[in-house]
PDB file of all heavy atoms in Angstrom:
ATOM      1  N   VAL A 146      -6.315   9.314  -8.679  1.00  0.00           N
ATOM      2  CA  VAL A 146      -5.465  10.162  -9.518  1.00  0.00           C
ATOM      3  C   VAL A 146      -6.129  11.522  -9.643  1.00  0.00           C
ATOM      4  O   VAL A 146      -7.292  11.621 -10.065  1.00  0.00           O
ATOM      5  CB  VAL A 146      -5.254   9.545 -10.918  1.00  0.00           C
ATOM      6  CG1 VAL A 146      -4.367  10.447 -11.770  1.00  0.00           C
ATOM      7  CG2 VAL A 146      -4.632   8.150 -10.797  1.00  0.00           C
ATOM      8  N   ALA A 147      -5.405  12.574  -9.262  1.00  0.00           N
ATOM      9  CA  ALA A 147      -5.876  13.956  -9.397  1.00  0.00           C
ATOM     10  C   ALA A 147      -4.908  14.690 -10.314  1.00  0.00           C
ATOM     11  O   ALA A 147      -3.692  14.615 -10.123  1.00  0.00           O
ATOM     12  CB  ALA A 147      -5.939  14.643  -8.039  1.00  0.00           C
ATOM     13  N   TRP A 156      -9.076  17.578 -12.513  1.00  0.00           N
ATOM     14  CA  TRP A 156      -9.972  16.456 -12.755  1.00  0.00           C
ATOM     15  C   TRP A 156      -9.459  15.237 -11.993  1.00  0.00           C
ATOM     16  O   TRP A 156      -8.296  15.159 -11.634  1.00  0.00           O
ATOM     17  CB  TRP A 156     -10.170  16.167 -14.231  1.00  0.00           C
ATOM     18  CG  TRP A 156      -8.934  15.892 -15.042  1.00  0.00           C
ATOM     19  CD1 TRP A 156      -8.185  16.795 -15.719  1.00  0.00           C
ATOM     20  CD2 TRP A 156      -8.325  14.604 -15.266  1.00  0.00           C
ATOM     21  NE1 TRP A 156      -7.134  16.172 -16.354  1.00  0.00           N
ATOM     22  CE2 TRP A 156      -7.201  14.829 -16.089  1.00  0.00           C
ATOM     23  CE3 TRP A 156      -8.607  13.313 -14.869  1.00  0.00           C
ATOM     24  CZ2 TRP A 156      -6.366  13.796 -16.530  1.00  0.00           C
ATOM     25  CZ3 TRP A 156      -7.787  12.274 -15.284  1.00  0.00           C
ATOM     26  CH2 TRP A 156      -6.683  12.526 -16.105  1.00  0.00           C
ATOM     27  N   PHE A 157     -10.402  14.308 -11.719  1.00  0.00           N
ATOM     28  CA  PHE A 157     -10.114  13.176 -10.849  1.00  0.00           C
ATOM     29  C   PHE A 157     -10.554  11.877 -11.520  1.00  0.00           C
ATOM     30  O   PHE A 157     -11.558  11.835 -12.226  1.00  0.00           O
ATOM     31  CB  PHE A 157     -10.864  13.315  -9.513  1.00  0.00           C
ATOM     32  CG  PHE A 157     -10.481  14.536  -8.740  1.00  0.00           C
ATOM     33  CD1 PHE A 157     -11.083  15.762  -9.009  1.00  0.00           C
ATOM     34  CD2 PHE A 157      -9.529  14.475  -7.743  1.00  0.00           C
ATOM     35  CE1 PHE A 157     -10.736  16.895  -8.301  1.00  0.00           C
ATOM     36  CE2 PHE A 157      -9.171  15.602  -7.026  1.00  0.00           C
ATOM     37  CZ  PHE A 157      -9.777  16.820  -7.301  1.00  0.00           C
ATOM     38  N   ALA A 158      -9.800  10.825 -11.272  1.00  0.00           N
ATOM     39  CA  ALA A 158     -10.155   9.504 -11.764  1.00  0.00           C
ATOM     40  C   ALA A 158      -9.653   8.459 -10.776  1.00  0.00           C
ATOM     41  O   ALA A 158      -8.824   8.752  -9.900  1.00  0.00           O
ATOM     42  CB  ALA A 158      -9.559   9.258 -13.154  1.00  0.00           C
ATOM     43  N   GLY A 183     -12.195  11.936 -16.824  1.00  0.00           N
ATOM     44  CA  GLY A 183     -12.156  12.435 -15.456  1.00  0.00           C
ATOM     45  C   GLY A 183     -13.400  13.199 -15.056  1.00  0.00           C
ATOM     46  O   GLY A 183     -14.214  13.601 -15.894  1.00  0.00           O
ATOM     47  N   GLN A 184     -13.536  13.400 -13.738  1.00  0.00           N
ATOM     48  CA  GLN A 184     -14.627  14.222 -13.216  1.00  0.00           C
ATOM     49  C   GLN A 184     -14.033  15.398 -12.463  1.00  0.00           C
ATOM     50  O   GLN A 184     -12.912  15.336 -11.967  1.00  0.00           O
ATOM     51  CB  GLN A 184     -15.526  13.385 -12.303  1.00  0.00           C
ATOM     52  CG  GLN A 184     -14.836  12.699 -11.151  1.00  0.00           C
ATOM     53  CD  GLN A 184     -15.734  11.690 -10.458  1.00  0.00           C
ATOM     54  OE1 GLN A 184     -16.307  10.802 -11.085  1.00  0.00           O
ATOM     55  NE2 GLN A 184     -15.862  11.835  -9.138  1.00  0.00           N
ATOM     56  N   ARG A 185     -14.792  16.492 -12.364  1.00  0.00           N
ATOM     57  CA  ARG A 185     -14.239  17.757 -11.906  1.00  0.00           C
ATOM     58  C   ARG A 185     -14.063  17.855 -10.392  1.00  0.00           C
ATOM     59  O   ARG A 185     -13.427  18.788  -9.908  1.00  0.00           O
ATOM     60  CB  ARG A 185     -15.110  18.902 -12.402  1.00  0.00           C
ATOM     61  CG  ARG A 185     -14.946  19.157 -13.888  1.00  0.00           C
ATOM     62  CD  ARG A 185     -13.509  19.510 -14.224  1.00  0.00           C
ATOM     63  NE  ARG A 185     -13.283  19.717 -15.643  1.00  0.00           N
ATOM     64  CZ  ARG A 185     -12.106  20.043 -16.169  1.00  0.00           C
ATOM     65  NH1 ARG A 185     -11.058  20.177 -15.384  1.00  0.00           N
ATOM     66  NH2 ARG A 185     -11.973  20.204 -17.467  1.00  0.00           N
ATOM     67  N   SER A 186     -14.633  16.940  -9.637  1.00  0.00           N
ATOM     68  CA  SER A 186     -14.445  16.939  -8.187  1.00  0.00           C
ATOM     69  C   SER A 186     -14.557  15.504  -7.708  1.00  0.00           C
ATOM     70  O   SER A 186     -15.010  14.621  -8.445  1.00  0.00           O
ATOM     71  CB  SER A 186     -15.472  17.827  -7.485  1.00  0.00           C
ATOM     72  OG  SER A 186     -16.784  17.348  -7.718  1.00  0.00           O
ATOM     73  N   ILE A 243      -3.835  19.371  -3.500  1.00  0.00           N
ATOM     74  CA  ILE A 243      -4.919  19.271  -4.485  1.00  0.00           C
ATOM     75  C   ILE A 243      -5.940  20.376  -4.285  1.00  0.00           C
ATOM     76  O   ILE A 243      -6.397  21.010  -5.238  1.00  0.00           O
ATOM     77  CB  ILE A 243      -5.592  17.884  -4.390  1.00  0.00           C
ATOM     78  CG1 ILE A 243      -4.593  16.793  -4.774  1.00  0.00           C
ATOM     79  CG2 ILE A 243      -6.837  17.825  -5.278  1.00  0.00           C
ATOM     80  CD1 ILE A 243      -5.081  15.389  -4.495  1.00  0.00           C
TER      81      ILE A 243
END
Side-chain angles (χ1 to χ4, degrees):
V146 180
W156 57 269
F157 299 84
Q184 56 191 53
R185 287 300 178 180
S186 62
I243 296 170

